[in-house]
Amino acid sequence: MAVTARRDLAMIAVQGPDARTKAVSLLPAVYHERAQALGVFFGASCSELFVTRTGYTGEDGFEIMLPANQAVAFWLSLNA
Protein backbone atom coordinates (compact mmCIF):
# COMPACT_ATOMS: atom_id res chain seq x y z
CA MET A 1 0.00 0.00 0.00
CA ALA A 2 1.35 3.42 -0.93
CA VAL A 3 1.05 6.51 1.24
CA THR A 4 -0.06 9.62 -0.61
CA ALA A 5 0.54 13.08 0.82
CA ARG A 6 -2.67 15.14 0.99
CA ARG A 7 -1.89 18.85 1.06
CA ASP A 8 -5.62 19.59 0.91
CA LEU A 9 -6.20 18.10 4.38
CA ALA A 10 -5.06 18.96 7.89
CA MET A 11 -5.25 17.05 11.17
CA ILE A 12 -5.79 18.60 14.58
CA ALA A 13 -5.36 16.42 17.67
CA VAL A 14 -7.46 17.69 20.57
CA GLN A 15 -6.37 15.97 23.79
CA GLY A 16 -6.86 16.41 27.50
CA PRO A 17 -9.59 16.46 30.14
CA ASP A 18 -11.97 18.82 28.29
CA ALA A 19 -11.00 17.82 24.75
CA ARG A 20 -14.05 15.81 23.80
CA THR A 21 -16.53 18.41 25.09
CA LYS A 22 -14.69 21.28 23.42
CA ALA A 23 -14.18 19.50 20.09
CA VAL A 24 -17.74 18.16 19.88
CA SER A 25 -19.11 21.66 20.43
CA LEU A 26 -17.43 22.75 17.18
CA LEU A 27 -18.89 19.95 15.06
CA PRO A 28 -22.18 20.39 13.23
CA ALA A 29 -24.93 19.64 15.82
CA VAL A 30 -26.23 16.67 13.84
CA TYR A 31 -22.89 14.88 14.52
CA HIS A 32 -22.54 15.55 18.26
CA GLU A 33 -24.01 12.23 19.37
CA ARG A 34 -22.07 10.23 16.77
CA ALA A 35 -18.76 11.78 17.84
CA GLN A 36 -19.45 11.34 21.57
CA ALA A 37 -20.25 7.65 21.02
CA LEU A 38 -16.93 6.85 19.31
CA GLY A 39 -14.85 4.23 21.04
CA VAL A 40 -11.05 4.20 21.02
CA PHE A 41 -9.68 3.25 17.59
CA PHE A 42 -12.92 4.20 15.82
CA GLY A 43 -13.73 7.06 13.48
CA ALA A 44 -16.73 8.69 11.88
CA SER A 45 -17.36 10.93 8.92
CA CYS A 46 -18.99 14.16 10.08
CA SER A 47 -19.74 16.17 6.95
CA GLU A 48 -16.41 17.56 5.67
CA LEU A 49 -14.68 16.39 8.86
CA PHE A 50 -13.44 12.95 9.83
CA VAL A 51 -13.27 12.42 13.59
CA THR A 52 -11.31 9.60 15.23
CA ARG A 53 -10.32 8.47 18.72
CA THR A 54 -6.95 6.75 18.51
CA GLY A 55 -5.67 7.46 22.01
CA TYR A 56 -2.15 7.64 20.63
CA THR A 57 -1.14 10.36 23.12
CA GLY A 58 -2.47 8.49 26.14
CA GLU A 59 -5.04 11.24 26.74
CA ASP A 60 -8.71 11.18 25.92
CA GLY A 61 -9.71 13.25 22.93
CA PHE A 62 -10.16 13.34 19.20
CA GLU A 63 -8.14 13.60 16.05
CA ILE A 64 -10.00 15.69 13.51
CA MET A 65 -9.18 15.65 9.81
CA LEU A 66 -10.56 18.59 7.88
CA PRO A 67 -9.96 20.62 4.73
CA ALA A 68 -6.67 22.47 5.15
CA ASN A 69 -8.31 25.82 4.44
CA GLN A 70 -10.53 25.34 7.54
CA ALA A 71 -7.78 24.28 9.96
CA VAL A 72 -6.77 27.72 11.26
CA ALA A 73 -10.36 28.77 11.98
CA PHE A 74 -11.08 25.45 13.71
CA TRP A 75 -7.92 25.76 15.83
CA LEU A 76 -8.77 29.33 16.83
CA SER A 77 -12.29 28.24 17.76
CA LEU A 78 -10.85 25.58 20.08
CA ASN A 79 -8.89 28.27 21.89
CA ALA A 80 -11.73 30.77 22.16
Side-chain angles (χ1 to χ4, degrees):
M1 177 188 306
V3 175
T4 303
R6 295 280 311 263
R7 299 196 186 281
D8 59 319
L9 296 176
M11 183 177 89
I12 296 176
V14 186
Q15 310 295 319
D18 297 324
R20 292 179 72 191
T21 301
K22 187 72 170 181
V24 166
S25 73
L26 298 176
L27 300 176
V30 68
Y31 298 110
H32 288 190
E33 189 174 320
R34 180 187 292 179
Q36 285 287 19
L38 285 175
V40 177
F41 299 112
F42 285 90
S45 180
C46 298
S47 187
E48 292 185 301
L49 309 175
F50 189 76
V51 180
T52 65
R53 287 191 60 214
T54 63
Y56 75 93
T57 66
E59 289 282 346
D60 194 18
F62 290 114
E63 296 75 34
I64 300 169
M65 280 59 70
L66 67 164
N69 63 359
Q70 296 176 21
V72 171
F74 192 90
W75 177 257
L76 293 174
S77 293
L78 283 169
N79 293 296

